[in-house]
Amino acid sequence: MQSVHQGACHCGRIKFELRGQIGAVMACNCSLCWMKGALWHGTDEAHLSIAAAEEDLLLYQFGTMTAKHYSCRHCGVSPFSRPRIAPQG
């Protein structure tokens, strides 16, 4: 049986579910994640579902423009990203 982990931004407009075990997390060393103290757990799209309208998500990119950092346009919290080391994850 798969574990289901639920998360959301601060205001709750962006909700997501991660299906599977969280065995390890890593600290991203990009300047944005480092300043936020973000921890990263990689998964694929088959194990992550996002319940948010596109208009509630903001996309921020910098440097090589490979990583995609998403945040809620209402509260500013970043619930997930597509990091440079795994842009499809």
Side-chain angles (χ1 to χ4, degrees):
M1 176 168 212
Q2 281 189 347
S3 296
V4 177
H5 307 276
Q6 297 178 335
C9 64
H10 189 258
C11 71
R13 285 183 170 97
I14 298 173
K15 295 180 171 88
F16 63 92
E17 284 190 353
L18 171 67
R19 290 174 304 285
Q21 298 297 329
I22 298 177
V25 297
M26 65 180 245
C28 179
N29 65 358
C30 83
S31 58
L32 182 63
C33 290
W34 181 81
M35 292 184 82
K36 292 189 295 185
L39 298 176
W40 186 74
H41 170 73
T43 192
D44 57 20
E45 290 189 24
H47 292 92
L48 179 69
S49 58
I50 302 161
E54 281 292 316
E55 63 271 9
D56 286 338
L57 291 172
L58 292 176
L59 171 63
Y60 177 70
Q61 292 180 283
F62 63 95
T64 65
M65 305 299 278
T66 304
K68 295 179 180 180
H69 299 272
Y70 295 96
S71 61
C72 174
R73 80 169 47 253
H74 301 281
C75 68
V77 169
S78 302
F80 54 89
S81 67
R82 293 181 185 273
R84 188 176 64 197
I85 62 172
Q88 300 306 313

